[in-house]
Amino acid sequence: MAGEVTEDPSGKANGGDLGYFTKEQMVPEFSEAAFKLDKGQISEPVKTQFGWHVIKVEDKRVKPAPKFEDVKPQIENYITRKAQAELVTKLRAEAKIERMDKPAAKPEEKPAAPAKK
């Protein structure tokens, strides 16, 4: 159907096939409609900022977890940044700050008690 009636050049070329996608990759109206459908179902028309759509779910799958080797640098970077942030927070909490550009403030003196007679 998309190959015949779509006005989108890329949709015409591939028959409207979007391939696999996650909810976050599409605008909310489209994702909401698409992810309610079961395999083989066709949606009612859905309006988005890009126009009107009719969605047919050809297949569904769970995105496989990435291999550890592929995400190891990202994990190392995250752990390093987290440790740095925790250290800075700890050092700030324990820091004693002295201003060297101004003399230290004198402690307030208490008024002398009146002399007894």
Side-chain angles (χ1 to χ4, degrees):
M1 184 169 138
E4 297 171 18
V5 297
T6 188
E7 295 174 8
D8 178 39
S10 64
K12 218 175 246 315
N14 64 10
D17 189 350
L18 299 175
Y20 291 100
F21 57 86
T22 64
K23 285 183 182 181
E24 296 77 24
Q25 290 175 298
M26 300 295 172
V27 293
E29 304 87 356
F30 191 94
S31 288
E32 187 177 316
F35 282 86
K36 282 183 183 176
L37 300 172
D38 289 323
K39 188 175 171 180
Q41 286 187 309
I42 300 173
S43 74
E44 294 294 321
V46 177
K47 184 172 172 75
T48 72
Q49 66 197 45
F50 302 105
W52 287 92
H53 313 273
V54 176
I55 306 164
K56 180 179 181 186
V57 175
E58 296 284 342
D59 193 21
K60 287 186 169 191
R61 69 177 185 189
V62 176
K63 185 177 181 181
K67 293 180 182 175
F68 176 72
E69 295 78 29
D70 296 339
V71 294
K72 184 178 177 184
Q74 293 169 329
I75 294 170
E76 289 172 340
N77 189 22
Y78 171 78
I79 291 171
T80 301
R81 288 179 185 263
K82 184 177 178 189
Q84 289 170 341
E86 288 171 356
L87 177 61
V88 168
T89 301
K90 179 181 178 235
L91 292 173
R92 282 183 178 162
E94 297 171 354
K96 179 183 177 197
I97 300 172
E98 290 183 44
R99 291 194 60 165
M100 306 305 275
D101 62 335
K102 294 183 178 178
K106 294 181 184 176
E108 291 185 31
E109 294 181 18
K110 293 182 181 179
K116 290 186 180 180
K117 295 185 183 183

